[in-house]
Amino acid sequence: QGLLDEFDIIECFEQPGAQIRIGEVTKRQKALYENIGISPPTSLQ
């Protein structure tokens, strides 16, 4: 549950007609993604 809670705080912003933007991903979150073999999300701008 703790792992899911860590990922749950990553914010996602949507606007009609625009790409989804991802909020800040911390170093700890990036490391957790990499440890489970998944590429961390990146901001789309």
Side-chain angles (χ1 to χ4, degrees), residues 6-26:
E6 188 70 32
F7 292 140
D8 187 45
I9 61 174
I10 298 172
E11 295 179 324
C12 177
F13 304 95
E14 294 182 77
Q15 276 188 319
Q19 289 185 324
I20 294 174
R21 293 184 342 205
I22 305 296
E24 179 183 2
V25 178
T26 67

Side-chain angles (χ1 to χ4, degrees), residues 15-44:
Q15 276 188 319
Q19 289 185 324
I20 294 174
R21 293 184 342 205
I22 305 296
E24 179 183 2
V25 178
T26 67
K27 289 179 184 180
R28 176 174 165 76
Q29 291 166 332
K30 287 178 186 177
L32 289 171
Y33 271 108
E34 292 167 1
N35 287 338
I36 60 174
I38 299 174
S39 297
T42 58
S43 290
L44 300 174

